[in-house]
Amino acid sequence: GEQVEQRPPHLSVREGDSAIIICTYTDSATAYFSWYKQEAGAGLQLLMSVLSNVDRKEEQGLTVLLNKKDKRLSLNLTAAHPGDSAVYFCAVSEGNAYKVIFGKGTHLHVLP
Amino acid sequence: EAAVTQSPRNKVAVTGGKVTLSCNQTNNHNNMYWYRQDTGHGLRLIHYSYGAGSTEKGDIPDGYKASRPSQENFSLILELATPSQTSVYFCASGDEGNSDYTFGSGTRLLVI
């Protein structure tokens, strides 16, 4: 079945720097991709989603890139600030699947 | 505002006791999910449901039951709680075909 690898597990950046998180997946039938943010003591919050026919999507300082050839999904936080400190998860699903596969998460720490 | 509400937020249970975790959603989503989150394991799917009256086993269903009496409500039941079930449990709702889930805030369960 589908497997998702997320890296790095921990990431520290300075305020104003960019932070990049990468997920790789195995199933070429994967059709839908999402990124979530989890702040301390809270549930996961959906940040952004893309369909498989989208290569790049930008919203509010976040950029999602999808490379279907390499089966790689990335999240780029441009100009990170301390409020971005959280755990980030990628999530992928096939078009008609009821189940979503989550990455294991990246702990992002933005230093002031 | 559409939401997923979990109760209780915190629970202490004794080994061998029965525990019921409740989840209510106002998103009118067909699918609901129960996950547990543990350090080093990420999110693991316990049970899910396609709609009222249906429950399906996820990846780690042993020791857990689920109940979906209505579109809005999905419960997770630990008939005989064990210390290994100490964890943070998240409920989520979503529709098939994508990975846009709405998560609850979680229930922190301690089994002593």
Side-chain angles (χ1 to χ4, degrees):
Chain A
E2 173 79 274
Q3 295 192 36
V4 174
E5 297 286 334
Q6 183 172 342
R7 65 180 193 273
H10 299 276
L11 179 61
S12 290
V13 301
R14 290 280 178 192
E15 183 173 7
D17 289 347
S18 48
I20 299 175
I21 304 169
I22 294 172
C23 283
T24 55
Y25 59 97
T26 56
D27 191 346
S28 57
T30 301
Y32 204 87
F33 307 84
S34 301
W35 285 98
Y36 288 83
K37 175 183 182 182
Q38 184 181 29
E39 297 179 337
L44 280 70
Q45 176 188 5
L46 181 67
L47 289 176
M48 201 184 316
S49 298
V50 296
L51 291 168
S52 59
N53 61 353
V54 173
D55 294 332
R56 180 187 182 99
K57 185 174 181 180
E58 294 184 43
E59 279 182 6
Q60 297 178 328
L62 302 174
T63 301
V64 171
L65 297 177
L66 177 61
N67 182 323
K68 290 181 289 293
K69 174 177 173 291
D70 294 338
K71 297 189 181 71
R72 186 175 67 240
L73 175 74
S74 66
L75 175 69
N76 186 347
L77 290 80
T78 54
H81 56 86
D84 291 328
S85 296
V87 182
Y88 291 81
F89 293 88
C90 64
V92 305
S93 70
E94 294 182 18
N96 295 313
Y98 289 95
K99 284 172 55 177
V100 166
I101 309 301
F102 286 89
K104 289 199 171 179
T106 295
H107 291 251
L108 174 65
H109 188 40
V110 181
L111 304 167
Chain B
E1 181 180 311
V4 174
T5 304
Q6 292 183 234
S7 62
R9 283 301 311 270
N10 295 281
K11 173 76 176 177
V12 179
V14 295
T15 298
K18 182 177 181 178
V19 176
T20 300
L21 307 183
S22 300
C23 179
N24 175 275
Q25 59 114 347
T26 58
N27 303 318
N28 199 31
H29 285 153
N30 288 329
N31 302 338
M32 295 185 74
Y33 307 85
W34 277 106
Y35 290 88
R36 62 178 286 177
Q37 185 176 35
D38 304 285
T39 303
H41 291 280
L43 286 166
R44 292 185 288 176
L45 181 64
I46 306 170
H47 283 289
Y48 61 103
S49 168
Y50 301 143
S54 94
T55 60
E56 303 291 333
K57 293 180 179 179
D59 300 321
I60 54 162
D62 293 345
Y64 303 93
K65 291 184 180 179
S67 173
R68 182 88 180 269
S70 65
Q71 177 83 341
E72 298 78 19
N73 295 294
F74 190 38
S75 298
L76 185 68
I77 304 148
L78 292 66
E79 295 278 3
L80 295 169
T82 68
S84 65
Q85 294 175 313
T86 292
S87 186
V88 180
Y89 291 85
F90 287 99
C91 176
S93 72
D95 281 327
E96 59 268 22
N98 64 63
S99 47
D100 289 351
Y101 285 5
T102 303
F103 280 83
S105 299
T107 293
R108 190 173 296 272
L109 174 65
L110 173 64
V111 183
I112 57 175

